Every structure is written in structure tokens, then in C-alpha cells.
Amino acid sequence: MQPVAPAPDSRFRPDPVLSTNAIESFIDETTSDEESPEDAGSPPVASGQDELTGGGPEQEPSSADQARAVLEQALASDSVEELAQVVLMPDQIRAKMDAYYGGRSPALTSTSIIYETSMPLPDSEYLNHTFFVSTSEQPMRFPVAIEETADGLKLDWESFIELHDDLLGKFLANPQSEAQSFHLILERRHFFGEDVPKLGSKDCFRISTPIPGSEGYAFVEKDSPAAAACKPFEWDRLCFPIATLRWTTPPGGKKPYLEITEIVQTSWRARSADHLAVE
């Protein structure tokens, strides 16, 4: 049985020139309905080269050069142990990394690394450096965050692997999936379908990621804690939380639909800010 899915709406396909920080502060609608002929025909930028993107700085600051080197090191890591040396919160996510790779090498072949921007982290003297990356396994460019910390420059591995492996797209394609949390682009929308029971008791959101095609509708019960957490997400504005999604199959043979069961946090920043403390 096919799950509830949205009609195509290219206005809200994430623009591939947006950085992670630009996404977090983005208020207006995204652009780029179709890939331009220039983009479609241009060769990939080799790893380590720079390519200007719309609105981006003309030259990488020296700290961004160091961030690029750490990103390249992470992509070339042959083992989880090696990769864990350059990721945020390695103690908290090491078990997750081991389980995810299952003994496989995490090494990836980059086809494009494009510097986007460097921005101060909130309440910190450190910077977040954003790059757009594509690899031989994921040809669509996606934002990658490298953060300065007291322990050096570190990759936000959770958002990286989620976007690189299009985990939301896989989740949307399999209504039997267990509940999972994702970095989402979220927008309040009206829904007029008949497949979701008690629609009047629910708020509707359109969900997507920077990977085009990974999009759907998700619903939240209006009297739930998740709905209360969604109240800051205004109409006509794109928001960027980490949220937990769950497939729900209503009785009577109706199509499964997506529920938002929790707003884990309201931004795409790494899930712990402990490493940001400035001595």
C-alpha cells in the first residue's frame, strides 16, 4: 500500500547553493526550480579546489583552509577509529558509528568540495565552516559542517551521513521503518486529502532535506507535546529542526501516514553544545 505523499512542488526543493548556516537562517522561499544548463553541463570541482557559489565569499579564510583539510581527512578515513578522531562528540556517537558501518571502511571518494561560508557559533568565539560536497556515491551536493572546538576542527558526522546516504529518502520509501530522527526542512501546509483520519485534530507540515526528491507530508496531533514544540514554526516560513518521524497505519486498510512525535531540537546544530564552551 502506497503511503500518503505530496504532489510535486519544485518551489520548495532545497537550493543546492545553500549552506548549513544559510539554511538555518533562511526565511524566504528557496529558488532554483530547475537545474540551470550551466550547472547541468559543468564538470565536478576536484577535491581541494574552490568554486564560487552565489553570495559566497570570494576567498576562503585561513581557518576555512584548515577546515577543508579536516573534511578531506574525514572523507579519506579508512576506519571508524580514524574517522572518530575528527568528528564532533566522538564518545557519544562512536557506538552509533560502529553499528552503522558494521566493519566497512567509511572512506569516500569526493568529486566536489566547495567552500560556502564561515559563521560564528552562537555564544562562542568559534566558527562553523560550511562546504558543499558531492562524492562518487552521492552526486547531489549537500551541506557539510566543520566546527571549531576546544579540541580542534570537527565534522558533524550525524548530519553528514544522514544527508550523504539520503536516510530520509530511504525512510519515506519504507512505511515499515521504525521511528527515526532527521534533520528536516519543515513548512506548515494545508492538507485536503482523505487518507489521514481525524484530520481536523492535526497540524500538517511539508518535510524535505537538501537532497531533492526526499520530501513528504507529516502530521502532528494538536494537543501533543510535539505540537507545542512546533508552535514557533510559523506559516510561510521554512524551519530547520531535528525531528522524530513515525509511520502510522490507521485501521480500516487506509494508507500509512507520517507523524511528528518529537522535536528533538529547533536547529541543525550538533546535538550537544558542551564542546562549544570557551574557557
Side-chain angles (χ1 to χ4, degrees):
M1 180 176 297
Q2 294 298 316
V4 175
D9 186 348
S10 59
R11 292 184 306 142
F12 299 102
R13 187 175 68 188
D15 188 332
V17 304
L18 294 176
S19 71
T20 299
N21 285 293
I23 286 173
E24 290 182 333
S25 62
F26 195 55
I27 298 177
D28 298 325
E29 292 182 359
T30 52
T31 58
S32 181
D33 282 353
E34 297 294 337
E35 185 180 40
S36 69
E38 292 81 8
D39 288 341
S42 60
V45 179
S47 174
Q49 292 183 343
D50 189 29
E51 173 178 307
L52 298 183
T53 59
E58 295 185 355
Q59 184 175 1
E60 295 181 24
S62 59
S63 57
D65 288 336
Q66 299 172 23
R68 178 191 291 274
V70 170
L71 174 55
E72 292 175 339
Q73 179 183 345
L75 292 171
S77 297
D78 287 325
S79 66
V80 174
E81 181 176 4
E82 183 179 352
L83 178 59
Q85 297 175 13
V86 290
V87 302
L88 289 169
M89 304 174 293
D91 293 340
Q92 291 95 316
I93 68 171
R94 176 59 188 269
K96 181 177 180 179
M97 294 172 67
D98 286 331
Y100 187 82
Y101 291 112
R104 295 179 291 111
S105 169
L108 296 167
T109 302
S110 63
T111 57
S112 175
I113 297 179
I114 302 172
Y115 171 69
E116 173 67 12
T117 189
S118 298
M119 296 183 68
L121 294 167
D123 303 317
S124 172
E125 296 177 358
Y126 297 130
L127 295 176
N128 174 293
H129 305 280
T130 301
F131 298 84
F132 270 83
V133 175
S134 60
T135 72
S136 55
E137 295 83 0
Q138 176 52 272
M140 299 301 301
R141 292 172 182 165
F142 61 96
V144 177
I146 303 290
E147 290 194 5
E148 296 177 358
T149 77
D151 297 322
L153 290 153
K154 303 293 182 180
L155 167 71
D156 183 350
W157 179 82
E158 288 188 294
S159 64
F160 170 81
I161 202 64
E162 183 182 317
L163 296 178
H164 180 273
D165 288 3
D166 191 17
L167 299 186
L168 177 63
K170 295 174 181 177
F171 179 83
L172 295 178
N174 181 16
Q176 284 73 46
S177 301
E178 295 183 358
Q180 296 179 45
S181 297
F182 297 96
H183 295 69
L184 298 177
I185 301 174
L186 184 149
E187 183 204 16
R188 286 187 182 271
R189 298 297 291 271
H190 293 294
F191 184 82
F192 300 103
E194 300 179 354
D195 299 307
V196 179
K198 299 180 180 179
L199 190 57
S201 68
K202 299 174 176 64
D203 291 327
C204 176
F205 293 88
R206 187 183 184 89
I207 59 172
S208 62
T209 78
I211 304 299
S214 298
E215 57 187 25
Y217 287 131
F219 302 85
V220 59
E221 293 290 342
K222 291 182 178 180
D223 60 353
S224 68
C230 288
K231 284 186 177 180
F233 305 153
E234 301 173 354
W235 287 93
D236 300 321
R237 180 174 180 177
L238 301 181
C239 302
F240 308 92
I242 300 175
T244 302
L245 301 177
R246 179 180 66 194
W247 281 107
T248 296
T249 302
K254 292 187 176 182
K255 295 179 181 179
Y257 65 94
L258 282 172
E259 282 190 285
I260 298 173
T261 61
E262 181 184 7
I263 301 299
V264 179
Q265 61 184 56
T266 57
S267 76
W268 283 18
R269 291 284 313 289
R271 299 193 196 191
S272 170
D274 293 346
H275 63 283
L276 301 178
V278 178
E279 299 295 332

